[in-house]
Amino acid sequence: MERTIIHCDMNGFFASVELLERPDLKNVPMAVSGNPESRHGIILAKNELAKNFGVITAETIWSARKKCPDLQLVRPHHDKYKKYSQLINAIYYRFTDMVEPFSIDESWLDVTGSLKLFGSGVQIADQIRETVKKELGLTLSAGVSYNKIFAKMGSEYKKPDATTIISRENFKKILWPLDISEMFFVGSATAEKLKRAAIFTIGDLASSEKAVLQGLLGKQGSMLYDYANGLDESPVARSYEKQKIKSVGNGITFRRNLTTADDIQTALKALSDTVSSRLRTYQLKSFGVKIDIKDPYFKTISRQKQLESATNITDEIYNAAFSLLQSSWTIGKPIRLITVTGINLVDENESEQLSLFTEDQDLREKNTNLDKAMDAIRNKFGGQAITFGGILKNDLGIDLLDENEERED
């Protein structure tokens, strides 16, 4: 039996939640933002009226007010957003127990087993939209398809407050004419690479040679080819089902060889940032760090070390990785590839008990809060929204988590 997958994406979630208690702002352009007194504060979310003025998420308040001088700004209240996210997902569970949250305002639902109870996928999506609107006063857009990727792209296709079905029969007509930047998991840097290779639309991607895409983008190229052709069989993972993960790592073959300490530090900071972010996503911490180093002649070494306390803090993983490299590699000797991996993983709640009495708790808490703040911005605005200064404008071939870039439209 073919699966029926729904992807639900709340419309202007932060702004919509704020408007529930600020009806006076309902008919004026408004946005949720950082500190309005700061020239460099950014827009976190906006309503449709602000969007009509060209206000976009992640732009500075200063820039947004140039477009819309009467823009009304509201400070964010993340506790409210978390509360409403839980209420929304509780509604989803009325229709299926197969619910996979993707971010605070997005979830996938596998409703294959619910069709006899509630009707077709489109009917279920419409019931969910009406229920959320009636009970919570919020709207969402839903995509219905036979796989997760097309369901996600369906929820993006028409906004606000709409249901779009993308089927085996219509996906070429609906999706293939779209610009390549509209493809899920294609961020701005990847889109530019594809366009330089004369791949301008999703249809161009789907009709490309898979081997060519692999040569251009590595494993991601093969994945994108499958996704563009509707070849996604990934399951909707129940939120309470945690797969046993043995390690979490990330490696990069660099555009040029690393030869200086600055090169190495930039690379390790980017890799450690990705690994720690993935650990936090999986709600895990690592009691060890491993690095793999490959030179231009393909000679590879692996080194690892145990940590005093389990961690998913970027700075701690970076320090361990850099310490390993310093003790096992001569700075100046060229490096072609580095992989950083978190090993000996434990549940982050369990690790809190194990590391309760570690030193420098204040510093760890500060770094944890910094990492979580960066996670929140990236979850909402994409991997390029924020990063460490040393990683910007590098010539090493490091894309800033671009493949996972997400935006609120």
Side-chain angles (χ1 to χ4, degrees):
M1 182 178 182
E2 184 160 271
R3 296 185 302 163
T4 300
I5 309 296
I6 299 174
H7 183 269
C8 296
D9 187 0
M10 301 305 299
N11 301 139
F13 183 51
F14 289 4
S16 297
V17 170
E18 295 296 341
L19 287 173
L20 294 175
E21 295 183 7
R22 292 291 307 274
D24 56 303
L25 298 178
K26 194 168 186 178
N27 297 314
V28 299
M30 64 83 67
V32 180
S33 72
N35 183 2
E37 304 303 319
S38 170
R39 180 183 177 91
H40 302 291
I42 65 169
I43 301 297
L44 302 178
K46 74 283 181 190
N47 67 359
E48 286 294 316
L49 292 172
K51 182 179 178 181
N52 292 338
F53 279 89
V55 176
I56 60 174
T57 54
E59 75 173 316
T60 64
I61 294 171
W62 175 75
S63 172
R65 277 186 161 157
K66 283 186 68 177
K67 299 174 183 176
C68 181
D70 295 326
L71 184 67
Q72 300 296 306
L73 299 178
V74 177
R75 293 284 184 90
H77 297 89
H78 294 284
D79 55 337
K80 291 182 185 178
Y81 311 147
K82 183 176 180 180
K83 169 191 170 185
Y84 275 94
S85 179
Q86 292 169 342
L87 292 172
I88 293 161
N89 277 280
I91 290 174
Y92 299 158
Y93 276 110
R94 299 179 195 175
F95 295 88
T96 177
D97 67 335
M98 299 183 70
V99 177
E100 179 184 351
F102 183 57
S103 68
I104 194 169
D105 62 344
E106 299 179 57
S107 292
W108 278 291
L109 293 70
D110 187 330
V111 297
T112 309
S114 305
L115 300 180
K116 292 183 180 179
L117 291 173
F118 301 107
S120 69
V122 171
Q123 289 173 325
I124 294 173
D126 287 343
Q127 289 179 66
I128 289 172
R129 289 196 301 110
E130 289 304 312
T131 303
V132 171
K133 187 188 302 183
K134 180 179 179 181
E135 296 187 10
L136 302 179
L138 303 171
T139 65
L140 64 88
S141 293
V144 182
S145 190
Y146 62 94
N147 68 50
K148 289 172 67 176
I149 300 302
F150 283 176
K152 162 69 176 171
M153 295 179 73
S155 71
E156 296 285 340
Y157 188 75
K158 187 176 181 182
K159 291 185 174 182
D161 197 17
T163 298
T164 301
I165 182 168
I166 297 182
S167 65
R168 291 188 187 275
E169 292 72 32
N170 71 8
F171 78 84
K172 294 180 182 179
K173 180 180 179 181
I174 292 177
L175 298 180
W176 281 15
L178 298 179
D179 187 274
I180 190 60
S181 62
E182 300 295 322
M183 184 71 212
F184 189 38
F185 284 123
V186 172
S188 56
T190 302
E192 285 304 311
K193 289 180 185 177
L194 291 169
K195 288 179 179 179
R196 286 196 295 268
I199 298 171
F200 299 103
T201 67
I202 295 175
D204 293 338
L205 177 67
S207 60
S208 299
E209 292 291 333
K210 196 170 187 177
V212 172
L213 293 172
Q214 285 179 316
L216 185 65
L217 301 174
K219 291 180 180 178
Q220 186 194 6
S222 177
M223 177 190 74
L224 290 175
Y225 173 88
D226 287 345
Y227 287 170
N229 283 285
L231 305 175
D232 168 42
E233 297 183 357
S234 57
V236 172
R238 295 176 175 89
S239 60
Y240 53 82
E241 288 180 343
K242 288 187 180 179
Q243 296 182 344
K244 186 66 174 177
I245 300 173
K246 295 182 179 179
S247 64
V248 173
N250 190 34
I252 298 175
T253 299
F254 303 102
R255 186 176 294 147
R256 63 171 176 79
N257 293 333
L258 310 186
T259 56
T260 68
D262 284 345
D263 285 347
I264 291 168
Q265 289 170 339
T266 297
L268 288 178
K269 180 64 79 170
L271 290 167
S272 301
D273 183 24
T274 304
V275 170
S276 63
S277 177
R278 290 174 180 171
L279 285 169
R280 293 190 296 274
T281 297
Y282 299 138
Q283 297 181 318
L284 296 170
K285 291 186 177 182
S286 65
F287 260 110
V289 171
K290 180 169 78 79
I291 63 167
D292 298 282
I293 306 170
K294 182 183 292 185
D295 69 13
Y297 310 102
F298 297 93
K299 177 184 176 182
T300 302
I301 67 167
S302 294
R303 298 290 186 271
Q304 64 183 57
K305 68 181 295 185
Q306 285 292 104
L307 305 176
E308 292 184 6
S309 303
T311 188
N312 54 20
I313 298 172
T314 300
D315 212 42
E316 293 181 359
I317 291 173
Y318 164 77
N319 288 336
F322 189 52
S323 173
L324 279 169
L325 189 141
Q326 283 182 305
S327 64
S328 58
W329 195 264
T330 302
I331 303 295
K333 184 179 176 182
I335 296 173
R336 182 174 188 269
L337 174 149
I338 299 178
T339 299
V340 175
T341 306
I343 58 175
N344 302 332
L345 307 184
V346 294
D347 183 271
E348 64 179 358
N349 295 322
E350 175 188 348
S351 68
E352 290 298 329
Q353 298 299 320
L354 295 171
S355 61
L356 188 60
F357 299 105
T358 55
E359 297 180 359
D360 301 321
Q361 281 298 109
D362 289 344
L363 178 60
R364 297 195 89 204
E365 184 175 352
K366 178 181 177 181
N367 287 333
T368 296
N369 290 337
L370 173 62
D371 284 343
K372 287 182 176 179
M374 292 177 69
D375 288 342
I377 294 172
R378 287 168 173 167
N379 284 340
K380 194 67 182 175
F381 309 120
Q384 291 189 321
I386 187 169
T387 190
F388 296 93
I391 299 173
L392 292 172
K393 297 181 180 179
N394 71 83
D395 64 345
L396 305 178
I398 301 172
D399 293 335
L400 308 178
L401 302 178
D402 185 69
E403 309 91 83
N404 298 316
E405 184 173 358
E406 290 298 316
R407 302 178 183 85
E408 176 191 296
D409 293 325

